[in-house]
Amino acid sequence: MTLSGSPYSVPRAARLFLSLGGLLGLLSVAGGALAAHLPDAMFAASSGRALAREAVQMGMWHAPALLAVGILLCVRGRRVPLLLAGAAFALGVVLFSGAVGWTGVTGRHLGPVAPTGGSLLMLAWLLLAVDGLRR
């Protein structure tokens, strides 16, 4: 893949994170529509719909983060903190949003899955900050 009229090649990792960011945005919008319009019976009794919305919101917040990682990889080149941040964003949002969404629909907790995902998301933000401080 090259940028229009330029011999500049977009790194494979950048394409991956750009694609994941777009896909996560799509899934978050679809999840938001489901959380808003499905009948109450589709959610866990006490606060299932609120948990589903939280899962969707966390996904939507991290879609632009994945896009940013992809763009930064294009601009700065392949850098370990950026690659690790992108991987942590991708895995963290799947674990966190997946576990919180699952709890919202079924009422059953998946143990330490959501906290693990949340920890990965915090690590990803830290890695992004570390990369920003590098020359």
Side-chain angles (χ1 to χ4, degrees):
M1 177 181 196
T2 59
L3 300 178
S4 59
S6 168
Y8 180 76
S9 176
V10 176
R12 183 179 307 170
R15 290 194 313 263
L16 173 66
F17 293 128
L18 289 167
S19 296
L20 288 174
L23 182 60
L24 182 57
L26 166 73
L27 292 173
S28 296
V29 171
L34 291 173
H37 298 293
L38 285 176
D40 289 338
M42 298 296 293
F43 298 98
S46 63
S47 60
R49 188 181 302 271
L51 285 172
R53 286 183 176 149
E54 181 65 31
V56 167
Q57 184 180 46
M58 192 61 70
M60 188 53 88
W61 276 108
H62 288 88
L66 281 165
L67 295 173
V69 169
I71 292 167
L72 287 169
L73 283 167
C74 289
V75 172
R76 296 181 177 171
R78 187 178 168 117
R79 294 164 63 133
V80 172
L82 285 176
L83 294 170
L84 291 174
F89 278 131
L91 182 58
V93 78
V94 166
L95 293 176
F96 182 86
S97 293
V100 172
W102 175 263
T103 302
V105 172
T106 67
R108 286 183 244 135
H109 293 274
L110 295 177
V113 176
T116 301
S119 296
L120 283 170
L121 291 172
M122 289 185 275
L123 174 64
W125 285 108
L126 176 62
L127 288 165
L128 204 57
V130 166
D131 187 74
L133 294 173
R134 295 181 68 201
R135 289 181 184 236

